[in-house]
Amino acid sequence: MTPEHQPHIYHICIAGHLDDRWLRWFEGFQVIRSPLGHTEISGVMDQAALHGIFNRIRDLGLEILSVQREPMETSGDSHDLIHL
């Protein structure tokens, strides 16, 4: 498996609070509503699962604020942060 296809831990921040009725769309992932008015969806994903989550976010009409990736074995500051 090439490094870009290996699972990583992703943290996807979306604008607004995700309504309870949509939580089942993200089963298996941690969903945290911030008091600052956004929602973070986190979990272990490979590229296929990540694109699936992006499709769900798109289908709900939600705005992605940022995506953060970290390898399964976190070593210091090896985070990639992408602000959209």
Side-chain angles (χ1 to χ4, degrees):
M1 185 177 280
T2 59
E4 63 272 7
H5 292 100
Q6 292 180 357
H8 290 81
I9 299 169
Y10 285 93
H11 306 279
I12 304 166
C13 184
I14 57 174
H17 286 163
L18 189 61
D19 191 89
D20 286 342
R21 65 183 169 189
W22 302 116
L23 290 179
R24 65 183 174 87
W25 279 37
F26 301 98
E27 277 187 273
F29 299 98
Q30 182 178 20
V31 178
I32 299 173
R33 293 184 192 119
S34 165
L36 301 174
H38 61 267
T39 301
E40 184 176 305
I41 301 166
S42 301
V44 176
M45 301 173 230
D46 61 10
Q47 287 294 301
L50 179 63
H51 285 273
I53 292 293
F54 287 155
N55 288 340
R56 291 176 190 170
I57 291 169
R58 180 207 58 218
D59 292 348
L60 291 172
L62 302 172
E63 178 186 2
I64 297 174
L65 300 176
S66 66
V67 178
Q68 182 178 359
R69 180 186 80 171
E70 58 184 271
M72 293 295 293
E73 297 118 23
T74 305
S75 59
D77 58 351
S78 60
H79 297 320
D80 296 329
L81 182 60
I82 304 167
H83 286 285
L84 304 174

